[in-house]
Amino acid sequence: MALHEPSFSLGVEEEYLLVDRATRDLVSEPPPELIDRFEQELGAHFSPEFLRPQVEVGTPVRASTAEVRADLEHLRRTVAGIAGGHGLGLIAASTHPFARWRDQKHTDKPRYNILQEDMQVVAQRLLICGMHVHVGIEDDELRVDILNQVSYFLPHLLALSTSSPFWEGTETGLQSYRLCVFDELPRTGLPERFESHDEYRRTVELMTAAGLIEDATKLWWDVRPSARFPTLEMRVTDVCTRLEDALCCTALFRCICRMLYRLRRDNQRWRIYTRTLVDENRWRAQRYGIDEGMVDFGRGEIVPFPQLMDELLELVREDAEHFGCVPEVEHARTIVERGTSSHMQAACYHEALEAGATAEEALRAVVDAVMEATLAGY
């Protein structure tokens, strides 16, 4: 029986941080009327996050990258406009350059109260933001099959998205410090390999029955079958400061999923490597981003990232043409050439220091640069 092509629909969730425009620090206690206004204006497309300075937005289900672009432009502009009326700014970055997690309070909601009680200081440290991309894959077995194969490409997507080089005023030396914080939680990192959807379902049912998790939403892997929608949800990426970078990662993940579907349709598949091997590239993406290359396991050697990206873009060219998102996918070359948000932040910091700023002043300059780039171009 012929394999029915999935919809490959799109949905994107982004998490942002609210900052005081005067101090550039996080707003530990956003006014209640601010959250009310977000909910009034954006409805189901807005939600508070675990920590009070964090907010999350989500697009509707979309068929094209162009629609996602319009949605994210609207969501970023709306959140920033409402926040601006309260003297606040918006930054799309996975960590704040100097805010302290100890100064933050969690949102008083039942699910967040349970998380705080269960995870203790590990949850309190979650002063991080990410971007999640949902791709519609309606067939259960196909969704799990692509889950098993797509992990290989997650480090590449992470490298393109990095936006968290600072933590509590320290330049960490990593392009994505966010994952260091997130990986303190259980059930994070690369997903397990499952032989079938039934094996995945049995795993969730066992963990739920034992009281380990409430449901599959507590599996916080880098990519997972969504517990709410018939989608594969990519969660490894930092939130991208620049909208164009976010659209690139979104379109590229979608195209990779379709490329893997095409392989299965033609009775082929991507080779599945051990989690240990893929974890090495994941670490290289955290540490170096696009700067130092990754391991090509077929060749058994580290290959420069620009070369790997050229090869990946060639692999998904047919899919980018199919979805009409060639410019968004090809934008990966621009990211490789000019750097990610992490590069921009580090450059801003060092330029300020060289100009005579103190470390504190330089960090505030980074916040200003990220605020500007979050809304640049629209």
Side-chain angles (χ1 to χ4, degrees):
M1 186 172 65
L3 185 63
H4 179 68
E5 179 156 352
S7 68
F8 295 111
S9 59
L10 281 175
V12 178
E13 299 161 349
E14 289 191 317
E15 296 165 342
Y16 312 132
L17 293 168
L18 298 172
V19 299
D20 186 312
R21 283 188 172 273
T23 66
R24 278 70 159 195
D25 201 350
L26 289 179
V27 181
S28 299
E29 294 275 6
E33 60 269 22
L34 177 68
I35 304 301
D36 292 342
R37 180 77 188 284
F38 286 149
E39 292 175 338
Q40 291 167 9
E41 291 290 326
L42 298 175
H45 302 297
F46 166 83
S47 64
E49 258 299 326
F50 174 66
L51 294 175
R52 295 184 189 181
Q54 298 170 304
V55 296
E56 180 181 87
V57 298
T59 72
V61 179
R62 294 303 191 189
S64 71
T65 310
E67 291 173 306
V68 172
R69 176 192 300 274
D71 289 332
L72 291 179
E73 286 179 353
H74 170 68
L75 290 166
R76 289 189 180 203
R77 186 169 54 242
T78 301
V79 173
I82 294 171
H86 293 264
L88 308 180
L90 177 73
I91 64 172
S94 281
T95 56
H96 185 280
F98 62 85
R100 291 169 54 85
W101 63 264
R102 295 171 184 82
D103 298 336
Q104 314 310 319
K105 299 177 182 177
H106 76 273
T107 302
D108 186 15
K109 285 194 168 185
R111 64 186 292 252
Y112 292 142
N113 294 338
I114 292 171
L115 180 63
Q116 171 64 47
E117 176 62 27
D118 189 25
M119 299 296 174
Q120 294 292 304
V121 73
V122 172
Q124 295 170 31
R125 278 173 43 84
L126 288 177
L127 192 58
I128 54 175
C129 295
M131 176 179 75
H132 305 161
V133 178
H134 290 260
V135 170
I137 302 173
E138 289 76 14
D139 183 87
D140 291 341
E141 293 298 334
L142 179 62
R143 190 160 62 250
V144 169
D145 190 30
I146 292 179
L147 168 76
N148 290 333
Q149 298 176 71
V150 80
S151 292
Y152 180 90
F153 301 97
L154 297 180
H156 304 71
L157 294 168
L158 172 62
L160 291 170
S161 72
T162 57
S163 67
S164 50
F166 293 98
W167 181 251
E168 294 199 334
T170 297
E171 188 175 15
T172 64
L174 277 67
Q175 301 289 344
S176 176
Y177 188 75
R178 160 185 154 264
L179 282 189
C180 299
V181 178
F182 195 67
D183 285 349
E184 292 182 353
L185 289 171
R187 304 180 295 279
T188 55
L190 297 169
E192 297 295 332
R193 179 183 175 187
F194 297 99
E195 294 298 328
S196 65
H197 180 264
D198 278 347
E199 184 182 18
Y200 165 74
R201 180 182 52 78
R202 287 193 299 270
T203 299
V204 173
E205 288 175 350
L206 190 155
M207 296 180 75
T208 304
L212 302 176
I213 58 175
E214 299 165 50
D215 52 46
T217 65
K218 296 301 188 292
L219 300 175
W220 295 307
W221 299 324
D222 293 343
V223 62
R224 67 183 182 184
S226 171
R228 298 178 295 161
F229 312 112
T231 64
L232 197 59
E233 180 187 2
M234 186 273 292
R235 304 163 50 83
V236 73
T237 44
D238 279 5
V239 63
C240 296
T241 301
R242 299 177 179 94
L243 179 63
E244 293 296 332
D245 295 5
L247 294 168
C248 174
C249 293
T250 296
L252 190 52
F253 177 63
R254 184 192 204 189
C255 288
I256 291 169
C257 287
R258 185 174 186 270
M259 180 270 293
L260 295 173
Y261 154 77
R262 286 193 292 109
L263 288 179
R264 172 161 169 163
R265 181 195 65 193
D266 298 338
N267 295 316
Q268 302 175 56
R269 63 185 297 106
W270 194 260
R271 181 173 175 182
I272 297 177
Y273 294 92
T274 65
R275 179 170 175 167
T276 297
L277 289 175
V278 180
D279 257 332
E280 286 299 316
N281 275 345
R282 185 181 188 266
W283 161 246
R284 294 186 68 82
Q286 284 180 256
R287 171 64 178 88
Y288 304 112
I290 61 177
D291 293 341
E292 294 293 333
M294 293 182 184
V295 181
D296 182 313
F297 298 117
R299 301 173 192 171
E301 62 186 24
I302 294 174
V303 176
F305 193 82
Q307 181 179 338
L308 289 177
M309 192 50 53
D310 286 343
E311 294 169 358
L312 177 55
L313 294 182
E314 186 60 32
L315 272 176
V316 301
R317 177 169 298 279
E318 174 182 333
D319 309 289
E321 292 172 351
H322 172 81
F323 291 126
C325 62
V326 172
E328 288 82 4
V329 169
E330 288 287 326
H331 180 72
R333 301 187 198 277
T334 300
I335 298 175
V336 171
E337 181 178 348
R338 61 107 159 105
T340 66
S341 174
S342 286
H343 293 94
M344 177 196 74
Q345 292 178 50
C348 176
Y349 178 70
H350 287 285
E351 286 168 8
L353 291 177
E354 290 169 7
T358 65
E360 291 76 13
E361 291 167 339
L363 289 167
R364 289 197 291 271
V366 174
V367 175
D368 287 342
V370 175
M371 275 198 291
E372 181 179 356
T374 297
L375 298 174
Y378 53 93

